[in-house]
Amino acid sequence: MIIGIDIGGTKIAVAGFARDGDRLERATEVRTLATPSRAGGPAIVQAVADAVRDVRGGDPVEAVGVGTAGVVGPDGTITSATDAIAGWVGFPLRSALADAVGAPVAVVNDVHAAAVAEAERGAGAGAQAMLMVAVGTGIGGAVVLADGLRRGVTGTAGSIGHMEISLPPNLAERRCPCGGFGHVEAVASGPGLEQTYLEGTGVRLPLREVHAAALRGDARAEGVIRDGARYLGRALASANAALDVEVIVVGGGVAEIGETYLAEVRRAYREAAMAGPAAARVVPAELGVDAALTGAALLGARLVERSD
Ligand SMILES: [Zn+2]
């Protein structure tokens, strides 16, 4: 059995997958547990190892794939993360989990994992090359080419959120969580949109309610969401000038606003993109909350295929 795991700041999901020739299919329920985030890395590894034992039943574990919050270095150590999980930065997740479960382990960033699944069996299936962006609390991204995921030298390939775009002066001065200025994450992530609405109205609302206001015809709320979508579309155009991929997959909680949001991303993308990449398809993610888990399992399975 191959195990796929998605480690987030609040929740961990674990499922078993069965290999059938080239296919990998989920063979168990998805088990979810609260992340022991205040207790840190060793407690998380223990909780994950317990969940793996429950999920596998009597089957031996051939390999484990993990998609996790944070930047994952080449050796599977977390090299950068928010403070959502105590002590996560510097934690050697790959080696600690391999010791705990007694099987080979692959670890990548959660958006990287989700992109692997979207490329193989979701919105990017059949495409030669794909760029994914996940717009939520932050803006993550991933690049999947014909020969697979580009992790990058430091594990940060596809970091669309930290591309600089030209912004009006009031937004250009807003600091990105990474410390930079002018980054699309600062103005187009969920918290970025909430901040823009607050600065325009004096009212602090969660994005869900900003969206509800937009649906009721609140022009300011509509404008905040539309502008966020446009900033994202322009950043994607810059990214695809460098990459020239065929499909751009847009996922994450903000993208769940739906087709009105996506249409605005697409329009801004086409206006800003150079000829050639302007023809790339901009489509919604298809695999939902299980994408990272599934992509992680696909990467885990490759550890076994390599040694078959
Ligand atoms: Zn940034």
Side-chain angles (χ1 to χ4, degrees):
M1 180 177 279
I2 306 292
I3 304 290
I5 301 171
D6 178 6
I7 301 178
T10 57
K11 200 183 71 175
I12 295 170
V14 179
F17 291 73
R19 288 201 299 151
D20 177 13
D22 283 349
R23 292 293 298 171
L24 186 73
E25 295 299 341
R26 187 154 64 78
T28 74
E29 294 296 296
V30 177
R31 172 172 294 257
T32 58
L33 49 143
T35 306
S37 52
R38 299 273 56 90
I44 288 171
V45 164
Q46 185 59 53
V48 166
D50 290 347
V52 168
R53 195 174 315 113
D54 290 346
V55 159
R56 73 182 178 88
D59 289 344
V61 174
E62 296 173 278
V64 175
V66 181
T68 177
V71 175
V72 180
D75 64 351
T77 293
I78 308 299
T79 56
S80 169
T82 67
D83 56 7
I85 300 175
W88 206 224
V89 176
F91 185 69
L93 178 59
R94 195 195 62 75
S95 59
L97 192 55
D99 288 346
V101 299
V105 175
V107 181
V108 298
N109 166 265
D110 49 7
V111 178
H112 282 187
V116 167
E118 291 286 352
E120 185 156 323
R121 52 182 67 178
Q128 296 178 48
M130 185 194 97
L131 171 65
M132 178 160 176
V133 62
V135 193
T137 307
I139 296 184
V143 179
V144 184
L145 304 181
D147 59 344
L149 174 70
R150 299 292 88 176
R151 297 179 54 164
V153 172
T154 65
T156 62
S159 294
I160 302 297
H162 307 292
M163 294 187 66
E164 194 175 327
I165 55 172
S166 61
L167 291 168
N170 60 316
L171 295 180
E173 289 165 10
R174 188 182 297 169
R175 190 184 282 273
C176 179
C178 77
F181 291 93
H183 292 187
V184 67
E185 176 168 310
V187 295
S189 64
L193 298 179
E194 290 166 359
Q195 181 65 25
T196 305
Y197 187 79
L198 171 65
E199 288 171 9
T201 63
V203 180
R204 180 178 291 283
L205 289 182
L207 180 61
R208 175 172 31 83
E209 288 177 33
V210 176
H211 179 219
L215 291 175
R216 289 194 303 269
D218 176 337
R220 291 236 224 196
E222 273 178 344
V224 165
I225 292 171
R226 186 184 58 237
D227 288 351
R230 287 183 179 170
Y231 296 140
L232 180 69
R234 282 167 38 201
L236 291 171
S238 289
N240 211 23
L243 293 167
D244 193 13
V245 300
E246 190 179 350
V247 176
I248 299 173
V249 177
V250 184
V254 175
E256 285 169 15
I257 287 172
E259 182 52 33
T260 52
Y261 176 83
L262 198 73
E264 209 59 61
V265 174
R266 199 179 282 129
R267 185 173 305 127
Y269 172 79
R270 298 230 189 289
E271 281 171 14
M274 62 183 286
R281 289 185 290 126
V282 179
V283 298
E286 291 179 0
L287 299 180
V289 293
D290 290 343
L293 180 82
T294 304
L298 288 165
L299 291 169
R302 266 160 224 168
L303 296 176
V304 182
E305 285 153 17
R306 242 177 258 153
S307 58
D308 273 354

